[in-house]
Amino acid sequence: MLNYIWGIMILIGVVTASFHGTMGAVNTAFLDSTKEAIDLCIFMLGVVGMWSGFMKVAENTGLIKAMSDRLGWFIRWLFPTIPRGHKANAYIATNIIANIFGLGWAATPSGLMAMKELDELNGKREVASDDMCTFLILNISSLQLIPINMIGYRSQYGSARPSAIIVPALIATLVSTLVGIVYAKGKRKFSRS
């Protein structure tokens, strides 16, 4: 569906540019944005590589396991129907930790694995379980202490203080995560009534 929307928008832009005689400007913008996209991808590849490396070091030194163990009570409270010791718990903890450190790319594989395990617990039914919905809400709200992506983008585009986003991002993601948790717990409680 999204492909159709983008296709229609591009077609409207080309037709409009043709009628107004600004096709040259469209071509120039297209080429400039292509170069900018490639530059941004190369820059972000370095950022992702560095932070993914930090995550791997943290995993190899046992820091991720220690942090996952500390998150155990929170995961049991938020996902009460997941059995203790189930693989989904470890994947959820890893996803939360990666998101807290602003490593959305590093969080994606563990998030996909967590959702796969939650789907197995759900019996692969067509309707998502409360745990699957709660995990999705938690993953989307994504509490972040260090918004690496935004700092990287701000740095790439010449911000004088790229890390100035840390406090506002922390406040915004803290609020969104708290609202998401309250909603998920409330929905779970009222759906049982």
Side-chain angles (χ1 to χ4, degrees), residues 8 19 31 36 41 54 66 68 78 80 82 95 99 108 118 135 137 144 149 155 159 183:
I8 291 168
F19 281 124
L31 293 173
E36 187 176 321
C41 286
F54 284 155
S68 295
L78 203 54
I82 299 175
N95 181 269
N99 276 325
T108 300
L118 292 173
F135 179 66
I137 290 168
Q144 292 186 7
N149 296 348
S155 176
S159 173
Y183 173 79

Side-chain angles (χ1 to χ4, degrees), residues 10-23:
I10 290 169
L11 184 63
I12 290 170
V14 168
V15 169
T16 303
S18 296
F19 281 124
H20 291 277
T22 56
M23 216 38 204

Side-chain angles (χ1 to χ4, degrees), residues 3 13 16 62 72 84 104 119 136-137 141 167 169 175-176 185:
N3 290 338
T16 303
R84 285 182 184 255
D119 190 36
L136 185 62
I137 290 168
S141 65
V167 173
V175 169
S176 68
K185 291 300 277 186

Side-chain angles (χ1 to χ4, degrees), residues 155-175:
S155 176
Q156 175 72 15
Y157 290 109
S159 173
R161 292 182 37 226
S163 61
I165 193 78
I166 291 175
V167 173
L170 176 61
I171 293 168
T173 59
L174 179 63
V175 169

